Amino acid sequence: MYDPTRLAALVAVAEAGSITRAAARLGYTAPALSQQLAKLEREAGAALLVRSHRGARLTAAGEVLAARARRVLDEMDRARHELARLSGLSGGRLRVGTFTTVGVHLLPPVLSAFRRAHPDVDLTVAEYEPPGGVLAVAAGEVDLALTHTYEPGEPAPPPAGVVLEPLLVEELVLVTAPGHALAGGSGRLPVADLAGQPLVSSAPSHPPRKGVETALARAGASPAVVCESPGYALVCALVSAGIGVAVVPEMVAAMSATPLGVRQLEPADFRRTISVAHRGEESGPAAESLRALLRGTFGRAAN
């Protein structure tokens, strides 16, 4: 028996043409997705992918298995849809909150699967910069919301009645302009080596980032350029243009629209945790169904 999650990973690589792009779509890190594909190859007893610096393509065996996998996954979607109808989830509405990075790179395929399984549910999506989504769940404005916290930091406890369920943990990495001296070394870069570097900071007054900015300041890396927006697109564009360096989540670095140098940091305790906020047992069946899809898509990457 093949693991459906690994079959979905193979199909994603076939469609994306790259392990990195497929990993971002599924909510994995690239190394975690590579491990899942290696396990699938052992299960299949054949090489399924040819990897190169340009991406990845399927072997003949991979094409055969991917074609069958698509049929299996389609049947599983139909089964979820039919079971939902039997349980009464054939109408109603689902209001989802998200923040930009996840809303652009991770949430769309999950909502696509939800739509296939539950086409009669009215779906709305609203954008909230964390911790706004958590407050929206508490206020009843949305049924669930994706949010994040950063480490180092002191995350605020959720409001009464709201549950935070972790889905994915990713490292924060250093991004530089291509060819920058700090991007060219091997191994992890000590955070102390950022002292004196012009640091592009994403809204240091924003609660989720305060702990990270404080830790960087202790290491001597004080912000030289401050972006008042909490979004990372402008940060990456400034870094790519050589204005400074920045510390951003892995997902942001992997999906940047501008070319970047990337390097892991030492210590490795700079992290971002992506969670789903919901109202626990008070959540309706539509919210529970979407949470199950989120866990299935992102849960393995959190291990």
Side-chain angles (χ1 to χ4, degrees), residues 78-249:
R78 292 191 186 97
R80 279 194 292 267
H81 184 194
E82 292 170 6
L83 290 172
R85 285 187 176 276
L86 289 174
S87 66
L89 202 138
S90 57
R93 65 174 180 170
L94 179 63
R95 300 164 301 168
V96 182
T98 186
F99 60 95
T100 303
T101 311
V102 161
V104 172
H105 300 304
L106 299 184
L107 187 59
V110 177
L111 293 182
S112 178
F114 180 87
R115 172 63 75 209
R116 291 195 301 271
H118 313 301
D120 299 326
V121 175
D122 292 332
L123 185 63
T124 60
V125 181
E127 188 170 359
Y128 295 90
E129 185 59 34
V134 177
L135 301 177
V137 172
E141 297 172 7
V142 294
D143 299 298
L144 51 78
L146 289 157
T147 188
H148 60 54
T149 56
Y150 282 77
E151 296 177 56
E154 295 293 335
V162 176
V163 178
L164 287 180
E165 181 181 343
L167 296 173
L168 174 66
V169 179
E170 57 178 338
E171 281 191 42
L172 304 186
V173 296
L174 177 73
V175 290
T176 70
H180 191 284
L182 292 183
S186 60
R188 292 180 176 271
L189 179 75
V191 174
D193 287 2
L194 297 181
Q197 290 290 330
L199 185 68
V200 181
S201 172
S202 176
S205 61
H206 192 244
R209 288 281 300 185
K210 283 184 177 178
V212 171
E213 295 296 340
T214 299
L216 291 174
R218 289 196 192 103
S222 300
V225 180
V226 176
C227 299
E228 294 300 336
S229 166
Y232 281 116
L234 179 56
V235 170
C236 290
L238 293 175
V239 168
S240 183
I243 306 300
V245 301
V247 176
V248 304

Side-chain angles (χ1 to χ4, degrees), residues 60-74:
E63 292 285 357
V64 169
L65 186 56
R68 299 288 185 181
R70 287 187 179 94
R71 297 177 192 175
V72 170
L73 296 172
D74 285 345

